[in-house]
Amino acid sequence: MTVTALGDRIEIDDRTVLVLGQELDLEHDQPDVANALVHRVGDTLVLVDTGVTPAFRAALREATDRVRPWSRALVLTTHGHPDHVANNDLADELGVPVEHYVPALDLDQMRAPASYWVRALERIAGAAALPAPALAADELVSLFHPMRPFGATTRTYEERPLERIRIGSLRFTGWTFADGAVRVLRSQGHCAGHVIVHLRDCGVLHLSDEGNGPCGAMADADQLKIQTTLGAVARLFEEGEASLLTDGHTFAVRRGAEVVRYLDTLLEQATALQAAALGLTGENRRVRPSSFTARYGETVAELGGGGANPNSMFNTMVAVNQLRELGLRPESDGFDAPWSRPVLKNPQPDPPRPAAAAPGSQPTSTLRGAR
């Protein structure tokens, strides 16, 4: 197994570099840092995500120098999580005209990341051994300082007209740049605003965090969109429309048929985990999150489906999402309240309403007696 360090580079070609981040280590107060992709098309520098920490920022600057010459820049944010956006104001330091785009659906969490994480952690308060959600969220977000998700030129993708984008036999919606050489495709599975990026000329498809395990962890994750994106990307590789796969947290570049096998494995894990979760809910389909999470975690470990940053907090978040995916709902707001399937029965008809009094009619005897 190759050991990598923060800021290491994988040189894809003379104008494309993957700058490697690092794993999350909560015990040692180490933030995870997302990989960033640096590419040049014509005279335009393309920077996909900016990571976090001053050390990673310096590594990005070195990588942008390696792909010179360029006289303009395009900075693309795949989604709003802190490990992808904290160095976004690097766009202001490049010394050339810059365009910087972020997903509109992720603006709230970029402005107030602690609130976003409170929401995520409140959902697992009864299932994980964590401090109070507000305290835990503040501690987590503090790992990602300094946090500068916006630059002077930041705009949302959604300020541009939405485009229909055809790649091979597949059709997407999103936005194109550099005369179609850079394609930003809406995926919105890992979180509400997520996009993936296709670099036409070098054949790179940057999956960012859509492949971070077979099941989404966040409160705004969409399991169907994750799985649909994985299937669509596999088709692009089968058709030869992409040849190299990069992502946010796997410190490697995958190629050709290896990509299809990898994506198929993620989809197989997704279905296997859901089948296992169904079995774990028992015959009565009723379970407490704490007990379900412990048993589900064992299944995740057996299947190797823990994603790129496995830890107990994320595993619990995935487990709670899995319960909801199965159609279970919490029976109350109580700590570690049981989850079960809603009772399926037809609603009772509303009782008939009394007829409205005709205009000019006298009030009823009850009302007269009350006068």
Side-chain angles (χ1 to χ4, degrees):
M1 180 177 178
T2 302
V3 178
T4 63
L6 179 71
D8 282 355
R9 296 188 297 266
I10 297 178
E11 312 245 348
I12 295 172
D13 58 31
D14 62 355
R15 55 201 175 100
T16 312
V17 178
L18 182 68
V19 184
L20 303 183
Q22 68 185 9
E23 293 184 348
L24 179 68
D25 186 347
L26 293 173
E27 292 184 3
H28 296 92
D29 293 333
Q30 173 180 291
D32 56 325
V33 180
N35 301 333
L37 197 60
V38 178
H39 176 64
R40 178 173 56 82
V41 53
D43 65 349
T44 300
L45 168 71
V46 182
L47 180 57
V48 182
D49 288 339
T50 63
V52 62
T53 76
F56 192 72
R57 188 186 192 96
L60 280 183
R61 292 300 302 263
E62 293 179 8
T64 61
D65 287 340
R66 292 184 73 85
V67 301
R68 286 186 183 274
W70 37 266
S71 58
R72 62 184 64 248
L74 175 66
V75 180
L76 304 173
T77 293
T78 61
H79 62 290
H81 289 166
D83 54 313
H84 292 254
V85 306
N87 285 324
N88 274 357
D89 68 327
L90 175 62
D92 297 340
E93 301 176 3
L94 296 174
V96 295
V98 178
E99 295 179 78
H100 174 217
Y101 293 95
V102 301
L105 293 177
D106 288 352
L107 282 179
D108 287 346
Q109 62 156 302
M110 294 169 71
R111 292 192 187 103
S115 297
Y116 178 81
W117 281 95
V118 167
R119 177 187 171 205
L121 298 178
E122 283 177 341
R123 301 166 72 246
I124 63 170
L130 292 173
L135 178 60
D138 285 341
E139 290 179 355
L140 181 64
V141 172
S142 71
L143 300 180
F144 297 90
H145 288 168
M147 175 72 70
R148 301 187 182 100
F150 305 110
T153 62
T154 303
R155 298 169 56 198
T156 63
Y157 293 110
E158 288 77 4
E159 293 177 52
R160 297 171 59 97
L162 188 65
E163 302 173 47
R164 293 174 294 169
I165 302 171
R166 180 163 184 167
I167 308 175
S169 66
L170 298 181
R171 294 162 176 82
F172 300 89
T173 58
W175 302 271
T176 61
F177 303 88
D179 296 324
V182 179
R183 297 153 166 169
V184 174
L185 311 174
R186 297 198 301 169
S187 55
Q188 300 179 342
H190 176 69
C191 64
H194 200 290
V195 299
I196 60 177
V197 179
H198 183 236
L199 303 177
R200 182 193 63 199
D201 296 345
C202 62
V204 169
L205 190 293
H206 189 67
L207 195 59
S208 194
D209 283 11
E210 294 293 21
N212 192 9
C215 304
M218 303 308 300
D220 56 342
D222 188 313
Q223 312 300 334
L224 174 59
K225 290 180 179 178
I226 291 172
Q227 294 159 20
T228 300
T229 297
L230 297 178
V233 170
R235 175 62 66 86
L236 291 180
F237 279 85
E238 288 176 330
E239 295 184 354
E241 297 292 341
S243 56
L244 301 168
L245 183 74
T246 59
D247 63 41
H249 295 282
T250 300
F251 309 130
V253 177
R254 293 183 171 85
R255 302 172 185 272
E258 175 194 4
V259 174
V260 178
R261 291 193 297 270
Y262 169 67
L263 297 175
D264 280 345
T265 297
L266 288 178
L267 289 170
E268 289 165 3
Q269 289 175 345
T271 55
L273 285 172
Q274 183 155 337
L278 190 61
L280 292 174
T281 60
E283 288 296 326
N284 61 1
R285 303 293 189 262
R286 186 174 188 267
V287 65
R288 291 190 180 275
S290 56
S291 60
F292 174 83
T293 296
R295 293 180 293 156
Y296 184 79
E298 295 171 359
T299 303
V300 170
E302 291 171 3
L303 293 174
N309 273 315
N311 62 64
S312 59
M313 180 183 71
F314 283 133
N315 288 343
T316 304
M317 292 165 69
V318 170
V320 170
N321 276 357
Q322 189 72 82
L323 286 174
R324 187 166 292 277
E325 187 76 0
L326 292 177
L328 278 68
R329 298 293 184 267
E331 295 178 359
S332 73
D333 294 332
F335 184 82
D336 200 27
W339 286 53
S340 60
R341 294 186 181 279
V343 176
L344 302 182
K345 62 180 182 180
N346 292 325
Q348 295 298 314
D350 292 334
R353 296 180 179 180
S361 63
Q362 294 295 318
T364 65
S365 59
T366 302
L367 292 177
R368 284 199 299 269
R371 285 190 297 185

